[in-house]
Amino acid sequence: VRDDHEVEALAKVCGALATTIVPSSLEKLVGSCLDHAAAHLMVRDVSSLDFGNVVDILAGYAVHRVRSSHPELTRGAMELLISRVSDAELNDVIRLLGAAADLSFSDPALYRPLSVYVLENRFKLNGDQLGYCAQKFAKVKSSLLNASQLYASLRVGLEIELGPFGTLGPAAVSTAVAGYLRAQKELPFVRDVLFPYAETLGWDTYSVEDLAHFYDGLSRAPEDLEGVEDIAGHVADAIGRMVGPDTPATVVTLLCLSFSRLAPENKPLLEAVFQRAAQIAPELTAPRVAMIVSGLTVVDTEDLPTRD
């Protein structure tokens, strides 16, 4: 990042990195790029940016997990936006929710306007946005939200999208399941509506990213929720077929973290995931390596790929 970049250009760099699937071999380089951008943004007037550009900055650091080095930047950017939520564009507010949740912000002054905005605009949200909101609100401390009201309202939107004119595809179903199970809200809706609908789509219509989110949700489900074991088996089988040499690091590490809770015994799944993990581990940042290790601690070593 050059010293003469304008603040708008730096924000756009962060935004572009937030929406780019980065190969594992470039993860550390991207982190370095964001480190340099933060150093320059800290000495520039970020308040001159519009709402969407500030969200771009937050999204870049949220997606690539580099907040710990720059809390002043991300906290300051978040504080700039709190009073501007009600007048912002719908997509920008949803991106702000995602960044705030992924960065583990815990300021109720932020989540109050975000919650109100989503509730007031719930009938404008499409299937993907409803699922995304369900997933991201689940990452927020329940004490900061009226979670029961939020998830009941999102359920109404999802029920509409499940209708004949709805737009609820595999990605939306996966994030919705992940969100509701992590929040442990509206569980009969998940069991009786989302699970059966998810199966009707056919597991091969999901991307491996979709299935990783779905599996993560299942790993957080209450032990007494009916149907979880059966559907987890189907999802695991599909993931095992899909994981390969091009599977992104974000998917591999999320799956390993899910293993730490589910402790699966599906050998094809474990072999595929840990084979890919072994390939990319030397290129990953320390937090992602820790996610891989968390999965290794609960699986049978006989289910792991052997060294040639």
Side-chain angles (χ1 to χ4, degrees):
V1 180
R2 300 196 323 256
D3 292 342
D4 60 342
H5 274 313
E6 297 293 333
V7 65
E8 291 86 356
L10 292 169
K12 289 178 180 178
V13 168
C14 295
L17 290 173
T19 58
T20 302
I21 297 177
V22 177
S24 58
S25 59
L26 297 179
E27 274 211 343
K28 292 180 180 178
L29 179 61
V30 168
S32 177
C33 179
L34 287 167
D35 284 339
H36 285 295
H40 295 299
L41 284 165
M42 285 294 292
V43 296
R44 285 168 167 77
D45 184 13
V46 178
S47 65
S48 64
L49 295 172
D50 64 27
F51 191 98
N53 285 146
V54 180
V55 176
D56 284 340
I57 294 172
L58 291 165
Y61 292 94
V63 168
H64 295 288
R65 298 175 179 269
V66 290
R67 178 208 179 196
S68 58
S69 301
H70 313 290
E72 297 86 358
L73 172 64
T74 51
R75 184 172 58 248
M78 199 71 73
E79 290 172 352
L80 280 174
L81 300 178
I82 291 175
S83 63
R84 299 162 61 184
V85 168
S86 60
D87 297 321
E89 295 291 329
L90 178 61
N91 191 55
D92 286 336
V93 173
I94 292 173
R95 291 196 303 130
L96 173 60
L97 167 62
D102 289 342
L103 289 166
S104 302
F105 276 93
S106 57
D107 187 347
L110 172 66
Y111 291 109
R112 278 194 294 269
L114 284 175
S115 300
V116 169
Y117 189 101
V118 169
L119 287 171
E120 290 179 346
N121 291 276
R122 62 191 181 278
F123 295 119
K124 298 179 181 178
L125 301 176
N126 61 32
D128 286 342
Q129 291 169 330
L130 287 162
Y132 184 85
C133 287
Q135 185 183 41
K136 296 307 179 181
F137 273 126
K139 299 181 74 172
V140 180
K141 291 180 180 179
S142 58
S143 60
L144 302 175
L145 303 168
N146 184 341
S148 296
Q149 181 186 20
L150 267 172
Y151 280 94
S153 296
L154 292 172
R155 174 180 54 77
V156 173
L158 288 165
E159 288 173 335
I160 293 172
E161 294 298 323
L162 286 163
F165 303 105
T167 61
L168 209 66
V173 173
S174 298
T175 52
V177 167
Y180 276 91
L181 290 181
R182 180 167 184 160
Q184 301 204 2
K185 299 294 182 182
E186 303 286 333
L187 295 179
F189 170 65
V190 178
R191 180 193 61 215
D192 300 333
V193 179
L194 289 182
F195 280 177
Y197 181 80
E199 291 197 86
T200 66
L201 295 176
W203 297 115
D204 290 337
T205 67
Y206 293 74
S207 70
V208 69
E209 290 87 353
D210 296 336
L211 292 173
H213 288 298
F214 204 121
Y215 200 70
D216 178 62
L218 295 171
S219 75
R220 301 170 187 273
E223 291 185 4
D224 60 350
L225 183 63
E226 294 180 11
V228 169
E229 185 173 350
D230 286 343
I231 205 164
H234 293 306
V235 173
D237 288 341
I239 294 171
R241 293 192 299 270
M242 294 182 187
V243 170
D246 297 322
T247 302
T250 51
V251 170
V252 173
T253 52
L254 181 59
L255 288 170
C256 290
L257 194 60
S258 301
F259 294 165
S260 71
R261 292 184 288 265
L262 275 177
E265 298 178 356
N266 186 314
K267 189 169 184 176
L269 169 69
L270 295 171
E271 285 186 340
V273 172
F274 284 115
Q275 184 71 50
R276 179 60 178 147
Q279 293 170 351
I280 62 177
E283 303 162 345
L284 299 182
T285 58
R288 292 205 187 279
V289 172
M291 293 169 75
I292 292 173
V293 173
S294 71
L296 284 168
T297 60
V298 297
V299 301
D300 190 330
T301 56
E302 293 184 359
D303 292 328
L304 299 179
T306 56
R307 188 185 298 271
D308 292 333

